[in-house]
Amino acid sequence: NNLIEIKHVSKVYDNGVVGLKDINLTVKKGEFLVIVGLSGAGKSTLLRSINRLNDISSGDILINGVSIQKSSGKKLRVMRRDLAMIFQNFNLVKRASVKRNVLSGLVGYYGIFKSTFGLWKKSDIQEAVKSLQRVNLAEKFYDRADALSGGQQQRVAIARALMQKPKIMLADEPTASLDPATSSLVMDDLKSLNENLGITVVANLHNEQLALEYATRIVGLRGGKLVFDKEASLVTEKD
Ligand code: ADP
Ligand code: ADP
């Protein structure tokens, strides 16, 4: 049940900036792992390496025992279906409906084809409504994405991510542009899909209070290095 294995991973950007230094980390199925650290610590670089939005310079990353770093083409595309991602800025198509945004999360050749031409089947629409119900936004189905609040937009992004039926949800500063009350709603949704759907969550947060509240395990990065790795209940102020 080692879902993600990060082995001796280092990353040096083309301009010589060191992003990550010899990171070793194993994530088990069902964990809610939060990565904390100051801006520039390497959190985004690490998260983006897991689904290979970033290439790493050395080391290896295994998803379910298979190296994503050494995979390419169709094999990489299929591996990425297990890995959904949400971002600080939601990345919705603002002028499109919530419906269209959520349905754009369908993956695979037919998924992309259907989304391009709007040729969804009734079962796709039902799936989209179900995903939106999981984030308690079913009543917004026909609204335009940019008519929603920031927190609601992030929850639409979660619903979209659910359409690919992921095993892992990567969340890169999902609450950084939200106020505290709204942040909790987004974190509640992530917690619910972790607990109810068994989706493993790996989230970057610079808000340590939220990390303590939601994580089962907290990892700290500083200057590209892993500086602590603890059960959430054991993390102290000093860390
Ligand atoms: P965090 O997410 O913790 O804020 P990042 O992973 O974004 O940290 O950044 C880690 C380090 O890598 C920082 O010094 C940052 O400036 C640098 N960095 C991030 N992205 C790039 C990039 N595309 N090119 C060069 N340096 C980068
Ligand atoms: P965050 O800290 O939330 O990761 P940043 O503001 O550091 O975001 O980075 C925003 C974007 O700029 C990212 O795509 C990142 O990869 C890139 N970036 C960050 N630092 C550098 C850098 N020193 N050189 C080039 N690109 C960078």
Side-chain angles (χ1 to χ4, degrees):
N1 60 352
N2 287 342
L3 198 50
I4 307 172
E5 289 172 77
I6 297 171
K7 297 178 161 180
H8 295 292
V9 165
S10 293
K11 165 74 176 177
V12 182
Y13 283 101
D14 291 340
N15 59 2
V17 173
V18 175
L20 298 172
K21 283 184 201 164
D22 196 27
I23 302 285
N24 290 289
L25 179 66
T26 299
V27 184
K28 290 195 162 58
K29 188 175 184 316
E31 284 195 274
F32 194 120
L33 180 81
V34 170
I35 302 167
V36 298
L38 300 176
S39 182
K43 303 182 300 295
S44 279
T45 304
L46 182 59
L47 206 72
R48 295 164 69 89
S49 300
I50 294 172
N51 62 358
R52 239 183 112 193
L53 284 181
N54 268 350
D55 275 319
I56 55 178
S57 307
S58 60
D60 204 357
I61 297 183
L62 312 185
I63 307 297
N64 253 323
V66 181
S67 170
I68 191 158
Q69 188 59 29
K70 298 194 187 94
S71 299
S72 59
K74 173 121 199 271
K75 193 176 166 200
L76 176 62
R77 286 200 300 278
V78 170
M79 284 182 87
R80 279 184 172 146
R81 288 180 197 171
D82 287 340
L83 295 150
M85 189 155 182
I86 60 169
F87 303 88
Q88 174 174 346
N89 301 318
F90 327 130
N91 287 4
L92 298 181
V93 181
K94 289 186 180 307
R95 297 169 65 87
S97 64
V98 167
K99 171 186 170 185
R100 189 168 263 277
N101 272 285
V102 173
L103 282 157
S104 75
L106 286 169
V107 289
Y109 176 77
Y110 287 107
I112 293 162
F113 178 84
K114 284 187 284 196
S115 294
T116 305
F117 298 103
L119 298 171
W120 305 289
K121 292 193 222 154
K122 198 171 170 200
S123 57
D124 298 326
I125 307 280
Q126 285 166 346
E127 192 65 38
V129 172
K130 227 165 75 187
S131 292
L132 266 181
Q133 280 168 346
R134 295 215 175 264
V135 297
N136 302 305
L137 283 179
E139 80 279 8
K140 303 290 186 190
F141 200 58
Y142 296 104
D143 289 24
R144 238 172 74 154
D146 57 8
L148 306 190
S149 70
Q152 290 172 335
Q153 289 188 42
Q154 188 62 291
R155 287 153 59 208
V156 170
I158 293 171
R160 174 179 61 187
L162 288 174
M163 294 298 282
Q164 72 187 72
K165 304 202 181 309
K167 295 193 170 67
I168 300 166
M169 179 74 81
L170 305 172
D172 195 1
E173 297 283 2
T175 62
S177 52
L178 306 175
D179 63 54
T182 315
S183 295
S184 296
L185 288 176
V186 168
M187 295 303 293
D188 286 343
D189 283 335
L190 290 176
K191 192 77 193 164
S192 146
L193 54 98
N194 173 251
E195 288 178 348
N196 302 322
L197 300 178
I199 295 175
T200 303
V201 176
V202 182
N204 289 343
L205 291 178
H206 61 236
N207 181 332
E208 302 204 2
Q209 202 47 50
L210 276 184
L212 287 168
E213 221 172 298
Y214 288 91
T216 56
R217 180 177 161 206
I218 304 181
V219 162
L221 289 186
R222 191 178 300 145
K225 288 194 215 160
L226 205 149
V227 290
F228 70 83
D229 177 354
K230 289 188 176 173
E231 297 290 315
S233 55
L234 303 177
V235 176
T236 61
E237 288 291 323
K238 288 206 294 348
D239 292 318

